[in-house]
Amino acid sequence: FSCKTASDLENLRVMEKLELERIYFDGLGVPHRLVIDSELPVSKVRNIAWFRGAVLDDNGWAERPESMAEHGRRMAYELSRAPGRGSLAQFCANFDARIGALPGTGLLVARALLWEGTLLTDLNQPDLPATPVTMFRVAQPPTLHVVGA
């Protein structure tokens, strides 16, 4: 795949490079596709960028991998059983209160679960935190593990 903006396609040099890429990949027997930014679904791109941010090091995730992984397992377990009513943001705020975590931890965990594919939903939703929690499902029902026994 080559990703370009619509304005890039007006540049002769860009078009020449695209043709070279096409010839190269054709020689390898690999299909070459051109993706233009204006043709991408805006909500999906925005949502992917939103949950991708949950796994970047600047939010502290990497500093507490064990506890965050445990929070992820617990959240997946709860969501697979009876997620309740309300939005994802409301579920996450309640999750924070139930486990005694700092506000925002649950939403960070949900974003990471979305990124890793454990939590699934329709990415065309305009605002994932405001999406009803019933619109989310767990890819594989998790099991809880006894810790420290």
Side-chain angles (χ1 to χ4, degrees):
F1 286 95
S2 289
C3 299
K4 300 294 178 195
T5 63
S7 62
D8 285 342
L9 300 180
E10 297 173 9
N11 182 314
L12 180 60
R13 181 67 184 138
V14 169
M15 295 302 292
E16 290 170 346
K17 289 180 183 179
L18 284 171
E19 182 59 15
L20 288 173
E21 287 178 18
R22 187 194 65 74
I23 292 168
Y24 173 77
F25 286 112
D26 188 50
L28 294 176
V30 175
H32 182 254
R33 304 281 189 265
L34 176 61
V35 177
I36 302 169
D37 67 338
S38 60
E39 295 177 359
L40 295 173
V42 176
S43 290
K44 279 186 181 179
V45 171
R46 187 180 315 116
N47 286 332
I48 292 169
W50 177 71
F51 57 72
R52 169 66 175 106
V55 293
L56 298 176
D57 289 344
D58 63 350
N59 60 31
W61 181 273
E63 296 171 12
R64 306 178 307 275
E66 309 84 24
S67 62
M68 296 305 276
E70 180 57 35
H71 292 335
R73 285 189 292 274
R74 182 171 180 175
M75 181 178 283
Y77 180 80
E78 289 183 17
L79 286 167
S80 71
R81 298 296 178 245
R85 297 183 178 161
S87 68
L88 177 65
Q90 291 166 328
F91 173 85
C92 291
N94 291 336
F95 181 83
D96 291 343
R98 281 192 307 280
I99 67 170
L102 294 172
T105 300
L107 204 51
L108 179 64
V109 170
R111 291 167 60 199
L113 292 175
L114 284 160
W115 177 252
E116 68 186 26
T118 300
L119 189 58
L120 307 173
T121 193
D122 176 7
L123 295 180
N124 290 310
Q125 297 294 321
D127 183 4
L128 287 182
T131 300
V133 73
T134 54
M135 294 283 297
F136 294 84
R137 67 179 178 83
V138 177
Q140 295 178 4
T143 56
L144 287 180
H145 302 281
V146 177
V147 177

